Amino acid sequence: NILQIYLKKVETENDIDVDKIAGMTSGMVGADLANLVNEAALWATREDKTRVSMDDFEYARDKVLMGAERRSAVLSDEEKRVTAFHEAGHALVAKKVRGNDPVHKVTIIPRGMALGVTWTLPEDDQHSLSEEQVLGHITKAMGGRVAEELIFGKDNVTSGAASDIQQVSKIARAMVTQFGFAEELGYVDLANEQQSYLGAYQGPSS
């Protein structure tokens, strides 16, 4: 296991859950995992710890995947409220709609370009997705925008769903062009014919 090789290079707490870290880092390559362990160790050092804990790996995962915390980002109380309802929408849909993985973490701490994020993690390794799972991911992705509309009204929905819409568009294209989930088109691979436009769907994210 590549992850275990990198973990041996740092002092960790006794309760480190390697399987959980592996689930948190699904899709990462060796260089990403090395960076993750290094970031976790650096953060632990900054916190005056002698061993790296699960919290440190959580922090490192968020930083590697989304960027450092934007401490300079000063959000108004209203922006925080909107973001909280947006992320709650994602989490609620993930919890209630079949095909979604269990909710792992919800935060409204700004990172990278995101004001908040809802993480879901599979309970077991996943190498393929059913149509139910793909539709579940689409529904979860739009849960944030729907929550904003229900709470604040259609005219007050923010642009916070931009990345969600990009994700949903990519998944929907993949359903039609890669996965054979469109009965009208049948089992035809259209992605390779129009790769520069369609891209390739790699799997669910936040």
Side-chain angles (χ1 to χ4, degrees), residues 68-76 79 109-112 115:
E69 289 184 22
R70 286 197 288 145
R71 297 181 182 276
S72 60
V74 180
L75 303 183
S76 67
E79 285 177 312
I109 296 175
R111 282 184 177 277
L115 297 181

Side-chain angles (χ1 to χ4, degrees), residues 31-43:
D32 295 326
L33 294 173
N35 189 24
L36 174 100
V37 173
N38 184 54
E39 287 288 351
L42 288 173
W43 181 249

Side-chain angles (χ1 to χ4, degrees), residues 78-202:
E78 183 62 16
E79 285 177 312
K80 291 177 182 178
R81 185 166 178 263
V82 171
T83 303
F85 275 109
H86 184 102
E87 297 307 327
H90 287 312
L92 184 60
V93 172
K95 183 74 173 177
K96 295 295 184 180
V97 175
R98 291 172 59 89
N100 279 295
D101 299 318
V103 176
H104 171 67
K105 178 180 181 179
V106 182
T107 178
I108 60 170
I109 296 175
R111 282 184 177 277
M113 297 301 293
L115 297 181
V117 67
T118 299
W119 291 105
T120 57
L121 292 180
E123 296 177 307
D124 302 300
D125 289 342
Q126 290 184 354
H127 302 288
S128 61
L129 296 171
S130 68
E131 185 172 1
E132 180 181 77
Q133 288 175 306
V134 175
L135 289 172
H137 295 323
I138 287 177
T139 309
K140 181 197 74 173
M142 295 311 299
R145 191 183 193 284
V146 172
E148 287 189 34
E149 185 173 330
L150 288 174
I151 299 299
F152 305 105
K154 188 173 182 179
D155 292 338
N156 294 311
V157 171
T158 71
S159 61
S163 62
D164 299 325
I165 294 172
Q166 289 177 347
Q167 179 188 355
V168 166
S169 299
K170 195 169 186 178
I171 298 173
R173 288 192 187 109
M175 290 182 70
V176 174
T177 64
Q178 294 175 251
F179 301 159
F181 289 161
E183 293 183 6
E184 294 83 356
L185 294 179
Y187 309 125
V188 180
D189 180 8
L190 299 175
N192 289 329
E193 295 179 10
Q194 304 181 53
Q195 192 69 42
S196 61
Y197 169 71
L198 295 169
Y201 177 57
Q202 301 298 323

